[in-house]
Amino acid sequence: MEQLEMLRDDLSQCDEILLSTLLMRNRITEQITAYEEANHLPILQPEQEEKTKKWLIKSLENKRHAQEVMDVFNTVITCSKKIQARKLFDYNIVLIGFMGAGKSTISSYLSTLFAMDVVEMDEVITRREGMSISDIFEIHGEQYFRDAETKLLIEMQSRTNVVISCGGGTPLRECNVAEMKKNGRVVLLTAQPETIYERVKDAHNRPLIENNKNVDFIADLMEKRREKYEAAADIVITTDGKSTLEICEELVSRLLNETGKVKDIG
């Protein structure tokens, strides 16, 4: 029993060391984020995370409990991302734009970079209704779907630090835009009609263009929505010819500039 107590004491000491180290790591994460902001340095540095992963894999070669340690480190890294995101964005990031503009792709990548929760509005609504958007339109009508969008945006008032990916028609209602802006920054992603066509031509979950998949129809519909899109947006970002990382770098830079946290990044 004496040996058992000694082992438990050793374990308690390890816990104290771990706790102290984690708290220190979190403080350093905040300090790095503050330094990057103050010195106009790039916020997004995915290569640094990749470097850490390579170091960790090499360090754990042939070690007992390597997978368990890896799981802990992954959790620690995720927590660091959350700390950084909360410091940078005390609001929701609301992505709007025409279908195929890149909203889902960018929201997913922002989630990877900052461990932020993502709300794909179309996915949430279809899951709740138990049917596709096309079926909702056919059975209940477009008005029913638009009302569901408004209700979901109102729900999001209770949350912050979330990436909200809106359906293409969501910003067309002024009441929706008002809800977005209550606790969010609205980012309009846009692209040329030809780019949109290439991105959506093989999809069959877009009821508004299902029977009109051509550049002219897309261009006409985009033009009809352009004024409302631009009126809703705090920031407009074109996505043609840019990588996902480049788009996210521009988005983060301009959001921070918009909120007055930094003058420029890069």
Side-chain angles (χ1 to χ4, degrees), residues 226-262:
R226 181 177 60 81
E227 185 175 352
K228 285 188 177 293
Y229 278 176
E230 293 178 354
D234 296 307
I235 294 168
V236 180
I237 296 176
T238 59
T239 63
D240 300 277
K242 298 176 184 175
S243 69
T244 303
L245 177 59
E246 288 172 336
I247 295 167
C248 287
E249 285 177 333
E250 181 178 351
L251 186 153
V252 171
S253 171
R254 295 184 63 186
L255 277 177
L256 296 181
N257 187 46
E258 180 75 14
T259 56
K261 291 185 176 181
V262 294

PDB file of all heavy atoms in Angstrom, residues 226-262:
ATOM      1  N   ARG A 226     -27.251  41.122 -57.174  1.00  0.00           N
ATOM      2  CA  ARG A 226     -26.021  41.840 -56.848  1.00  0.00           C
ATOM      3  C   ARG A 226     -26.245  43.004 -55.886  1.00  0.00           C
ATOM      4  O   ARG A 226     -25.510  43.163 -54.906  1.00  0.00           O
ATOM      5  CB  ARG A 226     -25.359  42.340 -58.130  1.00  0.00           C
ATOM      6  CG  ARG A 226     -24.043  43.085 -57.895  1.00  0.00           C
ATOM      7  CD  ARG A 226     -23.411  43.492 -59.215  1.00  0.00           C
ATOM      8  NE  ARG A 226     -24.287  44.364 -59.972  1.00  0.00           N
ATOM      9  CZ  ARG A 226     -24.396  45.677 -59.752  1.00  0.00           C
ATOM     10  NH1 ARG A 226     -23.683  46.260 -58.779  1.00  0.00           N
ATOM     11  NH2 ARG A 226     -25.204  46.415 -60.487  1.00  0.00           N
ATOM     12  N   GLU A 227     -27.248  43.814 -56.149  1.00  0.00           N
ATOM     13  CA  GLU A 227     -27.473  45.004 -55.317  1.00  0.00           C
ATOM     14  C   GLU A 227     -27.746  44.630 -53.862  1.00  0.00           C
ATOM     15  O   GLU A 227     -27.189  45.242 -52.946  1.00  0.00           O
ATOM     16  CB  GLU A 227     -28.646  45.813 -55.884  1.00  0.00           C
ATOM     17  CG  GLU A 227     -28.867  47.138 -55.159  1.00  0.00           C
ATOM     18  CD  GLU A 227     -29.952  47.977 -55.794  1.00  0.00           C
ATOM     19  OE1 GLU A 227     -30.433  47.616 -56.880  1.00  0.00           O
ATOM     20  OE2 GLU A 227     -30.327  49.005 -55.192  1.00  0.00           O
ATOM     21  N   LYS A 228     -28.580  43.619 -53.653  1.00  0.00           N
ATOM     22  CA  LYS A 228     -28.889  43.214 -52.282  1.00  0.00           C
ATOM     23  C   LYS A 228     -27.682  42.559 -51.615  1.00  0.00           C
ATOM     24  O   LYS A 228     -27.436  42.755 -50.418  1.00  0.00           O
ATOM     25  CB  LYS A 228     -30.086  42.265 -52.267  1.00  0.00           C
ATOM     26  CG  LYS A 228     -31.421  42.962 -52.502  1.00  0.00           C
ATOM     27  CD  LYS A 228     -32.584  42.022 -52.298  1.00  0.00           C
ATOM     28  CE  LYS A 228     -33.919  42.758 -52.473  1.00  0.00           C
ATOM     29  NZ  LYS A 228     -34.150  43.759 -51.409  1.00  0.00           N
ATOM     30  N   TYR A 229     -26.933  41.768 -52.369  1.00  0.00           N
ATOM     31  CA  TYR A 229     -25.719  41.160 -51.824  1.00  0.00           C
ATOM     32  C   TYR A 229     -24.748  42.236 -51.335  1.00  0.00           C
ATOM     33  O   TYR A 229     -24.238  42.178 -50.214  1.00  0.00           O
ATOM     34  CB  TYR A 229     -25.019  40.317 -52.894  1.00  0.00           C
ATOM     35  CG  TYR A 229     -25.564  38.922 -53.104  1.00  0.00           C
ATOM     36  CD1 TYR A 229     -25.054  38.113 -54.111  1.00  0.00           C
ATOM     37  CD2 TYR A 229     -26.580  38.389 -52.307  1.00  0.00           C
ATOM     38  CE1 TYR A 229     -25.528  36.823 -54.327  1.00  0.00           C
ATOM     39  CE2 TYR A 229     -27.051  37.110 -52.502  1.00  0.00           C
ATOM     40  CZ  TYR A 229     -26.527  36.330 -53.517  1.00  0.00           C
ATOM     41  OH  TYR A 229     -26.985  35.064 -53.718  1.00  0.00           O
ATOM     42  N   GLU A 230     -24.484  43.208 -52.202  1.00  0.00           N
ATOM     43  CA  GLU A 230     -23.506  44.244 -51.866  1.00  0.00           C
ATOM     44  C   GLU A 230     -23.990  45.123 -50.724  1.00  0.00           C
ATOM     45  O   GLU A 230     -23.188  45.572 -49.894  1.00  0.00           O
ATOM     46  CB  GLU A 230     -23.186  45.073 -53.108  1.00  0.00           C
ATOM     47  CG  GLU A 230     -22.438  44.279 -54.175  1.00  0.00           C
ATOM     48  CD  GLU A 230     -22.163  45.075 -55.431  1.00  0.00           C
ATOM     49  OE1 GLU A 230     -22.669  46.228 -55.519  1.00  0.00           O
ATOM     50  OE2 GLU A 230     -21.467  44.572 -56.333  1.00  0.00           O
ATOM     51  N   ALA A 231     -25.290  45.368 -50.662  1.00  0.00           N
ATOM     52  CA  ALA A 231     -25.836  46.174 -49.570  1.00  0.00           C
ATOM     53  C   ALA A 231     -25.700  45.453 -48.237  1.00  0.00           C
ATOM     54  O   ALA A 231     -25.528  46.092 -47.186  1.00  0.00           O
ATOM     55  CB  ALA A 231     -27.307  46.490 -49.847  1.00  0.00           C
ATOM     56  N   ALA A 232     -25.762  44.131 -48.260  1.00  0.00           N
ATOM     57  CA  ALA A 232     -25.669  43.352 -47.017  1.00  0.00           C
ATOM     58  C   ALA A 232     -24.237  43.204 -46.530  1.00  0.00           C
ATOM     59  O   ALA A 232     -23.996  43.027 -45.329  1.00  0.00           O
ATOM     60  CB  ALA A 232     -26.272  41.959 -47.236  1.00  0.00           C
ATOM     61  N   ALA A 233     -23.275  43.288 -47.429  1.00  0.00           N
ATOM     62  CA  ALA A 233     -21.896  42.916 -47.120  1.00  0.00           C
ATOM     63  C   ALA A 233     -21.121  43.995 -46.369  1.00  0.00           C
ATOM     64  O   ALA A 233     -21.234  45.186 -46.671  1.00  0.00           O
ATOM     65  CB  ALA A 233     -21.160  42.567 -48.404  1.00  0.00           C
ATOM     66  N   ASP A 234     -20.349  43.548 -45.390  1.00  0.00           N
ATOM     67  CA  ASP A 234     -19.341  44.413 -44.768  1.00  0.00           C
ATOM     68  C   ASP A 234     -18.046  44.349 -45.568  1.00  0.00           C
ATOM     69  O   ASP A 234     -17.278  45.313 -45.607  1.00  0.00           O
ATOM     70  CB  ASP A 234     -19.074  43.968 -43.329  1.00  0.00           C
ATOM     71  CG  ASP A 234     -20.294  44.112 -42.434  1.00  0.00           C
ATOM     72  OD1 ASP A 234     -20.856  45.213 -42.403  1.00  0.00           O
ATOM     73  OD2 ASP A 234     -20.690  43.111 -41.792  1.00  0.00           O
ATOM     74  N   ILE A 235     -17.796  43.205 -46.193  1.00  0.00           N
ATOM     75  CA  ILE A 235     -16.581  42.962 -46.958  1.00  0.00           C
ATOM     76  C   ILE A 235     -16.957  42.166 -48.206  1.00  0.00           C
ATOM     77  O   ILE A 235     -17.789  41.265 -48.139  1.00  0.00           O
ATOM     78  CB  ILE A 235     -15.556  42.146 -46.131  1.00  0.00           C
ATOM     79  CG1 ILE A 235     -15.057  42.955 -44.935  1.00  0.00           C
ATOM     80  CG2 ILE A 235     -14.370  41.698 -46.989  1.00  0.00           C
ATOM     81  CD1 ILE A 235     -14.288  42.131 -43.941  1.00  0.00           C
ATOM     82  N   VAL A 236     -16.333  42.478 -49.337  1.00  0.00           N
ATOM     83  CA  VAL A 236     -16.544  41.724 -50.578  1.00  0.00           C
ATOM     84  C   VAL A 236     -15.208  41.127 -51.017  1.00  0.00           C
ATOM     85  O   VAL A 236     -14.204  41.844 -51.120  1.00  0.00           O
ATOM     86  CB  VAL A 236     -17.097  42.617 -51.702  1.00  0.00           C
ATOM     87  CG1 VAL A 236     -17.307  41.797 -52.975  1.00  0.00           C
ATOM     88  CG2 VAL A 236     -18.398  43.294 -51.271  1.00  0.00           C
ATOM     89  N   ILE A 237     -15.204  39.825 -51.278  1.00  0.00           N
ATOM     90  CA  ILE A 237     -13.981  39.136 -51.698  1.00  0.00           C
ATOM     91  C   ILE A 237     -14.274  38.312 -52.951  1.00  0.00           C
ATOM     92  O   ILE A 237     -15.181  37.486 -52.953  1.00  0.00           O
ATOM     93  CB  ILE A 237     -13.446  38.205 -50.582  1.00  0.00           C
ATOM     94  CG1 ILE A 237     -13.030  39.031 -49.364  1.00  0.00           C
ATOM     95  CG2 ILE A 237     -12.262  37.373 -51.092  1.00  0.00           C
ATOM     96  CD1 ILE A 237     -12.577  38.196 -48.190  1.00  0.00           C
ATOM     97  N   THR A 238     -13.503  38.547 -53.999  1.00  0.00           N
ATOM     98  CA  THR A 238     -13.628  37.733 -55.200  1.00  0.00           C
ATOM     99  C   THR A 238     -12.801  36.460 -55.027  1.00  0.00           C
ATOM    100  O   THR A 238     -11.713  36.504 -54.453  1.00  0.00           O
ATOM    101  CB  THR A 238     -13.143  38.491 -56.443  1.00  0.00           C
ATOM    102  OG1 THR A 238     -11.773  38.869 -56.266  1.00  0.00           O
ATOM    103  CG2 THR A 238     -13.974  39.735 -56.671  1.00  0.00           C
ATOM    104  N   THR A 239     -13.322  35.347 -55.514  1.00  0.00           N
ATOM    105  CA  THR A 239     -12.655  34.058 -55.296  1.00  0.00           C
ATOM    106  C   THR A 239     -12.051  33.476 -56.568  1.00  0.00           C
ATOM    107  O   THR A 239     -11.388  32.438 -56.513  1.00  0.00           O
ATOM    108  CB  THR A 239     -13.643  33.033 -54.710  1.00  0.00           C
ATOM    109  OG1 THR A 239     -14.702  32.800 -55.653  1.00  0.00           O
ATOM    110  CG2 THR A 239     -14.233  33.530 -53.403  1.00  0.00           C
ATOM    111  N   ASP A 240     -12.251  34.129 -57.713  1.00  0.00           N
ATOM    112  CA  ASP A 240     -11.708  33.606 -58.965  1.00  0.00           C
ATOM    113  C   ASP A 240     -10.189  33.513 -58.911  1.00  0.00           C
ATOM    114  O   ASP A 240      -9.507  34.473 -58.533  1.00  0.00           O
ATOM    115  CB  ASP A 240     -12.078  34.523 -60.142  1.00  0.00           C
ATOM    116  CG  ASP A 240     -13.571  34.659 -60.325  1.00  0.00           C
ATOM    117  OD1 ASP A 240     -14.169  33.782 -60.948  1.00  0.00           O
ATOM    118  OD2 ASP A 240     -14.126  35.660 -59.815  1.00  0.00           O
ATOM    119  N   GLY A 241      -9.647  32.359 -59.313  1.00  0.00           N
ATOM    120  CA  GLY A 241      -8.204  32.214 -59.461  1.00  0.00           C
ATOM    121  C   GLY A 241      -7.401  32.267 -58.183  1.00  0.00           C
ATOM    122  O   GLY A 241      -6.177  32.433 -58.216  1.00  0.00           O
ATOM    123  N   LYS A 242      -8.055  32.145 -57.031  1.00  0.00           N
ATOM    124  CA  LYS A 242      -7.354  32.191 -55.743  1.00  0.00           C
ATOM    125  C   LYS A 242      -7.462  30.838 -55.051  1.00  0.00           C
ATOM    126  O   LYS A 242      -8.477  30.153 -55.163  1.00  0.00           O
ATOM    127  CB  LYS A 242      -7.951  33.263 -54.834  1.00  0.00           C
ATOM    128  CG  LYS A 242      -7.845  34.676 -55.362  1.00  0.00           C
ATOM    129  CD  LYS A 242      -8.551  35.659 -54.440  1.00  0.00           C
ATOM    130  CE  LYS A 242      -8.542  37.066 -54.990  1.00  0.00           C
ATOM    131  NZ  LYS A 242      -9.327  37.997 -54.141  1.00  0.00           N
ATOM    132  N   SER A 243      -6.414  30.480 -54.320  1.00  0.00           N
ATOM    133  CA  SER A 243      -6.468  29.261 -53.523  1.00  0.00           C
ATOM    134  C   SER A 243      -7.324  29.507 -52.282  1.00  0.00           C
ATOM    135  O   SER A 243      -7.598  30.656 -51.913  1.00  0.00           O
ATOM    136  CB  SER A 243      -5.060  28.837 -53.091  1.00  0.00           C
ATOM    137  OG  SER A 243      -4.538  29.764 -52.137  1.00  0.00           O
ATOM    138  N   THR A 244      -7.727  28.422 -51.654  1.00  0.00           N
ATOM    139  CA  THR A 244      -8.527  28.538 -50.428  1.00  0.00           C
ATOM    140  C   THR A 244      -7.764  29.315 -49.363  1.00  0.00           C
ATOM    141  O   THR A 244      -8.341  30.169 -48.676  1.00  0.00           O
ATOM    142  CB  THR A 244      -8.897  27.142 -49.906  1.00  0.00           C
ATOM    143  OG1 THR A 244      -9.602  26.434 -50.927  1.00  0.00           O
ATOM    144  CG2 THR A 244      -9.763  27.229 -48.669  1.00  0.00           C
ATOM    145  N   LEU A 245      -6.478  29.046 -49.227  1.00  0.00           N
ATOM    146  CA  LEU A 245      -5.669  29.754 -48.235  1.00  0.00           C
ATOM    147  C   LEU A 245      -5.595  31.241 -48.555  1.00  0.00           C
ATOM    148  O   LEU A 245      -5.724  32.081 -47.652  1.00  0.00           O
ATOM    149  CB  LEU A 245      -4.258  29.156 -48.171  1.00  0.00           C
ATOM    150  CG  LEU A 245      -3.278  29.850 -47.217  1.00  0.00           C
ATOM    151  CD1 LEU A 245      -3.803  29.843 -45.783  1.00  0.00           C
ATOM    152  CD2 LEU A 245      -1.899  29.186 -47.284  1.00  0.00           C
ATOM    153  N   GLU A 246      -5.406  31.582 -49.818  1.00  0.00           N
ATOM    154  CA  GLU A 246      -5.326  32.998 -50.195  1.00  0.00           C
ATOM    155  C   GLU A 246      -6.629  33.725 -49.874  1.00  0.00           C
ATOM    156  O   GLU A 246      -6.607  34.870 -49.391  1.00  0.00           O
ATOM    157  CB  GLU A 246      -5.009  33.113 -51.687  1.00  0.00           C
ATOM    158  CG  GLU A 246      -3.584  32.743 -52.043  1.00  0.00           C
ATOM    159  CD  GLU A 246      -3.351  32.675 -53.537  1.00  0.00           C
ATOM    160  OE1 GLU A 246      -4.327  32.462 -54.291  1.00  0.00           O
ATOM    161  OE2 GLU A 246      -2.188  32.843 -53.960  1.00  0.00           O
ATOM    162  N   ILE A 247      -7.748  33.073 -50.137  1.00  0.00           N
ATOM    163  CA  ILE A 247      -9.048  33.689 -49.840  1.00  0.00           C
ATOM    164  C   ILE A 247      -9.193  33.909 -48.340  1.00  0.00           C
ATOM    165  O   ILE A 247      -9.626  34.970 -47.879  1.00  0.00           O
ATOM    166  CB  ILE A 247     -10.192  32.816 -50.376  1.00  0.00           C
ATOM    167  CG1 ILE A 247     -10.138  32.745 -51.899  1.00  0.00           C
ATOM    168  CG2 ILE A 247     -11.549  33.369 -49.926  1.00  0.00           C
ATOM    169  CD1 ILE A 247     -11.025  31.680 -52.497  1.00  0.00           C
ATOM    170  N   CYS A 248      -8.819  32.897 -47.555  1.00  0.00           N
ATOM    171  CA  CYS A 248      -8.948  33.008 -46.095  1.00  0.00           C
ATOM    172  C   CYS A 248      -7.996  34.050 -45.529  1.00  0.00           C
ATOM    173  O   CYS A 248      -8.350  34.774 -44.593  1.00  0.00           O
ATOM    174  CB  CYS A 248      -8.707  31.646 -45.436  1.00  0.00           C
ATOM    175  SG  CYS A 248     -10.070  30.487 -45.669  1.00  0.00           S
ATOM    176  N   GLU A 249      -6.799  34.150 -46.087  1.00  0.00           N
ATOM    177  CA  GLU A 249      -5.859  35.185 -45.641  1.00  0.00           C
ATOM    178  C   GLU A 249      -6.438  36.572 -45.882  1.00  0.00           C
ATOM    179  O   GLU A 249      -6.359  37.452 -45.011  1.00  0.00           O
ATOM    180  CB  GLU A 249      -4.528  35.029 -46.386  1.00  0.00           C
ATOM    181  CG  GLU A 249      -3.681  33.866 -45.904  1.00  0.00           C
ATOM    182  CD  GLU A 249      -2.416  33.697 -46.712  1.00  0.00           C
ATOM    183  OE1 GLU A 249      -2.406  34.081 -47.899  1.00  0.00           O
ATOM    184  OE2 GLU A 249      -1.429  33.168 -46.172  1.00  0.00           O
ATOM    185  N   GLU A 250      -7.002  36.772 -47.049  1.00  0.00           N
ATOM    186  CA  GLU A 250      -7.620  38.072 -47.348  1.00  0.00           C
ATOM    187  C   GLU A 250      -8.810  38.329 -46.439  1.00  0.00           C
ATOM    188  O   GLU A 250      -8.997  39.447 -45.931  1.00  0.00           O
ATOM    189  CB  GLU A 250      -8.058  38.116 -48.812  1.00  0.00           C
ATOM    190  CG  GLU A 250      -8.683  39.447 -49.209  1.00  0.00           C
ATOM    191  CD  GLU A 250      -9.080  39.512 -50.670  1.00  0.00           C
ATOM    192  OE1 GLU A 250      -8.711  38.588 -51.434  1.00  0.00           O
ATOM    193  OE2 GLU A 250      -9.750  40.488 -51.051  1.00  0.00           O
ATOM    194  N   LEU A 251      -9.614  37.307 -46.220  1.00  0.00           N
ATOM    195  CA  LEU A 251     -10.807  37.447 -45.369  1.00  0.00           C
ATOM    196  C   LEU A 251     -10.420  37.856 -43.952  1.00  0.00           C
ATOM    197  O   LEU A 251     -10.981  38.807 -43.393  1.00  0.00           O
ATOM    198  CB  LEU A 251     -11.572  36.122 -45.368  1.00  0.00           C
ATOM    199  CG  LEU A 251     -12.924  36.058 -44.652  1.00  0.00           C
ATOM    200  CD1 LEU A 251     -13.790  34.970 -45.301  1.00  0.00           C
ATOM    201  CD2 LEU A 251     -12.761  35.736 -43.172  1.00  0.00           C
ATOM    202  N   VAL A 252      -9.457  37.151 -43.359  1.00  0.00           N
ATOM    203  CA  VAL A 252      -9.042  37.451 -41.991  1.00  0.00           C
ATOM    204  C   VAL A 252      -8.425  38.841 -41.910  1.00  0.00           C
ATOM    205  O   VAL A 252      -8.733  39.628 -41.003  1.00  0.00           O
ATOM    206  CB  VAL A 252      -8.051  36.383 -41.474  1.00  0.00           C
ATOM    207  CG1 VAL A 252      -7.438  36.806 -40.141  1.00  0.00           C
ATOM    208  CG2 VAL A 252      -8.753  35.039 -41.326  1.00  0.00           C
ATOM    209  N   SER A 253      -7.549  39.158 -42.862  1.00  0.00           N
ATOM    210  CA  SER A 253      -6.908  40.474 -42.880  1.00  0.00           C
ATOM    211  C   SER A 253      -7.933  41.588 -42.920  1.00  0.00           C
ATOM    212  O   SER A 253      -7.870  42.555 -42.156  1.00  0.00           O
ATOM    213  CB  SER A 253      -5.976  40.562 -44.093  1.00  0.00           C
ATOM    214  OG  SER A 253      -5.503  41.881 -44.263  1.00  0.00           O
ATOM    215  N   ARG A 254      -8.914  41.454 -43.788  1.00  0.00           N
ATOM    216  CA  ARG A 254      -9.889  42.523 -43.957  1.00  0.00           C
ATOM    217  C   ARG A 254     -10.883  42.575 -42.799  1.00  0.00           C
ATOM    218  O   ARG A 254     -11.366  43.659 -42.435  1.00  0.00           O
ATOM    219  CB  ARG A 254     -10.592  42.362 -45.296  1.00  0.00           C
ATOM    220  CG  ARG A 254      -9.628  42.554 -46.479  1.00  0.00           C
ATOM    221  CD  ARG A 254     -10.331  42.485 -47.808  1.00  0.00           C
ATOM    222  NE  ARG A 254     -11.300  43.552 -47.942  1.00  0.00           N
ATOM    223  CZ  ARG A 254     -12.133  43.645 -48.967  1.00  0.00           C
ATOM    224  NH1 ARG A 254     -12.103  42.747 -49.932  1.00  0.00           N
ATOM    225  NH2 ARG A 254     -12.996  44.642 -49.032  1.00  0.00           N
ATOM    226  N   LEU A 255     -11.184  41.435 -42.198  1.00  0.00           N
ATOM    227  CA  LEU A 255     -12.042  41.451 -41.009  1.00  0.00           C
ATOM    228  C   LEU A 255     -11.366  42.195 -39.866  1.00  0.00           C
ATOM    229  O   LEU A 255     -11.995  43.015 -39.181  1.00  0.00           O
ATOM    230  CB  LEU A 255     -12.374  40.024 -40.571  1.00  0.00           C
ATOM    231  CG  LEU A 255     -13.520  39.320 -41.290  1.00  0.00           C
ATOM    232  CD1 LEU A 255     -13.657  37.891 -40.771  1.00  0.00           C
ATOM    233  CD2 LEU A 255     -14.834  40.075 -41.103  1.00  0.00           C
ATOM    234  N   LEU A 256     -10.095  41.915 -39.661  1.00  0.00           N
ATOM    235  CA  LEU A 256      -9.372  42.586 -38.578  1.00  0.00           C
ATOM    236  C   LEU A 256      -9.234  44.072 -38.869  1.00  0.00           C
ATOM    237  O   LEU A 256      -9.342  44.909 -37.976  1.00  0.00           O
ATOM    238  CB  LEU A 256      -7.990  41.944 -38.381  1.00  0.00           C
ATOM    239  CG  LEU A 256      -8.014  40.479 -37.919  1.00  0.00           C
ATOM    240  CD1 LEU A 256      -6.581  39.966 -37.741  1.00  0.00           C
ATOM    241  CD2 LEU A 256      -8.798  40.319 -36.623  1.00  0.00           C
ATOM    242  N   ASN A 257      -9.004  44.407 -40.120  1.00  0.00           N
ATOM    243  CA  ASN A 257      -8.930  45.804 -40.503  1.00  0.00           C
ATOM    244  C   ASN A 257     -10.281  46.492 -40.323  1.00  0.00           C
ATOM    245  O   ASN A 257     -10.372  47.628 -39.859  1.00  0.00           O
ATOM    246  CB  ASN A 257      -8.489  45.927 -41.947  1.00  0.00           C
ATOM    247  CG  ASN A 257      -8.218  47.359 -42.358  1.00  0.00           C
ATOM    248  OD1 ASN A 257      -7.567  48.094 -41.635  1.00  0.00           O
ATOM    249  ND2 ASN A 257      -8.711  47.746 -43.514  1.00  0.00           N
ATOM    250  N   GLU A 258     -11.353  45.770 -40.648  1.00  0.00           N
ATOM    251  CA  GLU A 258     -12.712  46.298 -40.529  1.00  0.00           C
ATOM    252  C   GLU A 258     -13.056  46.620 -39.090  1.00  0.00           C
ATOM    253  O   GLU A 258     -13.721  47.619 -38.797  1.00  0.00           O
ATOM    254  CB  GLU A 258     -13.715  45.279 -41.094  1.00  0.00           C
ATOM    255  CG  GLU A 258     -15.159  45.699 -41.033  1.00  0.00           C
ATOM    256  CD  GLU A 258     -15.527  46.740 -42.073  1.00  0.00           C
ATOM    257  OE1 GLU A 258     -14.720  46.944 -43.007  1.00  0.00           O
ATOM    258  OE2 GLU A 258     -16.588  47.358 -41.947  1.00  0.00           O
ATOM    259  N   THR A 259     -12.588  45.794 -38.160  1.00  0.00           N
ATOM    260  CA  THR A 259     -12.897  46.004 -36.750  1.00  0.00           C
ATOM    261  C   THR A 259     -11.882  46.885 -36.055  1.00  0.00           C
ATOM    262  O   THR A 259     -11.954  47.091 -34.842  1.00  0.00           O
ATOM    263  CB  THR A 259     -12.990  44.661 -36.018  1.00  0.00           C
ATOM    264  OG1 THR A 259     -11.771  43.916 -36.202  1.00  0.00           O
ATOM    265  CG2 THR A 259     -14.141  43.823 -36.537  1.00  0.00           C
ATOM    266  N   GLY A 260     -10.901  47.384 -36.829  1.00  0.00           N
ATOM    267  CA  GLY A 260      -9.952  48.316 -36.256  1.00  0.00           C
ATOM    268  C   GLY A 260      -8.851  47.694 -35.435  1.00  0.00           C
ATOM    269  O   GLY A 260      -8.118  48.375 -34.726  1.00  0.00           O
ATOM    270  N   LYS A 261      -8.692  46.384 -35.532  1.00  0.00           N
ATOM    271  CA  LYS A 261      -7.664  45.725 -34.711  1.00  0.00           C
ATOM    272  C   LYS A 261      -6.282  45.878 -35.328  1.00  0.00           C
ATOM    273  O   LYS A 261      -5.287  45.920 -34.637  1.00  0.00           O
ATOM    274  CB  LYS A 261      -7.995  44.251 -34.540  1.00  0.00           C
ATOM    275  CG  LYS A 261      -9.223  44.025 -33.657  1.00  0.00           C
ATOM    276  CD  LYS A 261      -9.445  42.554 -33.403  1.00  0.00           C
ATOM    277  CE  LYS A 261     -10.613  42.337 -32.441  1.00  0.00           C
ATOM    278  NZ  LYS A 261     -10.844  40.903 -32.157  1.00  0.00           N
ATOM    279  N   VAL A 262      -6.237  45.870 -36.659  1.00  0.00           N
ATOM    280  CA  VAL A 262      -4.947  46.069 -37.336  1.00  0.00           C
ATOM    281  C   VAL A 262      -5.182  46.950 -38.552  1.00  0.00           C
ATOM    282  O   VAL A 262      -6.276  47.027 -39.079  1.00  0.00           O
ATOM    283  CB  VAL A 262      -4.308  44.729 -37.771  1.00  0.00           C
ATOM    284  CG1 VAL A 262      -3.923  43.905 -36.588  1.00  0.00           C
ATOM    285  CG2 VAL A 262      -5.242  43.960 -38.693  1.00  0.00           C
TER     286      VAL A 262
END
